[in-house]
Amino acid sequence: GPEVLSCTNNEIFKDIDKRVLFLCYPDEDVFENPNTNQDEEATAATTMSASCLEHFQGDTIIHAGELVGDTISMDQAPWGRSSGPEFQQRLSAEYHCILKAKLTNWLHVRDTISVWKRSQCCSIVFQGEEDDDDSDEEVEYKYIPQDEILPVNIAAPCAKHLL
């Protein structure tokens, strides 16, 4: 079974960057509050999943539940029922999915298990006009190794012939 760690000093944080974060339905029944003032605590994590991601230092995250676009619930669209938008936006910005598999589901949900790896960043500098050094533009991109890129070509059975 899982190992429960306890200690009285910071020994528990040794090798924390080599650990995996597993989240299973971390924010079920947490919905966005339309009355929230966007200026208040804009940088503070508001859900358990977002807080976990904010503090996580490792490179691998495993998520079980629905993600953006997967849900069939109109009440929870488009984010799904298991993790909030703040978490999902940051997850897709800082990590890339290397595995996604369907789980056994009830009729009203479309849960998956997905594995995400922290993306490395690279900069591309677009050269501006020759006589204007300030017109160069540096843009950050994710670097995803070829063997970690998920296939793009997918189709429902009724449209498979179009691929």
Side-chain angles (χ1 to χ4, degrees), residues 104-122:
T104 303
N105 290 295
W106 296 102
L107 293 175
H108 65 290
V109 296
R110 293 182 55 199
D111 294 328
T112 61
I113 187 162
S114 54
V115 179
W116 297 77
K117 188 170 180 185
R118 188 181 298 273
S119 299
Q120 300 298 316
C121 289
C122 64

Side-chain angles (χ1 to χ4, degrees), residues 75-140:
D75 290 337
Q76 296 155 329
W79 302 104
R81 59 186 299 119
S82 55
S83 53
E86 182 183 3
F87 165 79
Q88 291 188 50
Q89 289 170 347
R90 188 165 177 189
L91 179 69
S92 64
E94 297 177 17
Y95 294 77
H96 58 278
C97 186
I98 60 171
L99 179 139
K100 187 173 182 181
K102 179 183 176 190
L103 296 174
T104 303
N105 290 295
W106 296 102
L107 293 175
H108 65 290
V109 296
R110 293 182 55 199
D111 294 328
T112 61
I113 187 162
S114 54
V115 179
W116 297 77
K117 188 170 180 185
R118 188 181 298 273
S119 299
Q120 300 298 316
C121 289
C122 64
S123 297
I124 297 177
V125 177
F126 295 96
Q127 187 175 12
E129 301 294 324
E130 286 184 29
D131 56 343
D132 185 4
D133 290 337
D134 292 335
S135 66
D136 289 354
E137 182 181 8
E138 184 174 350
V139 181
E140 291 281 319

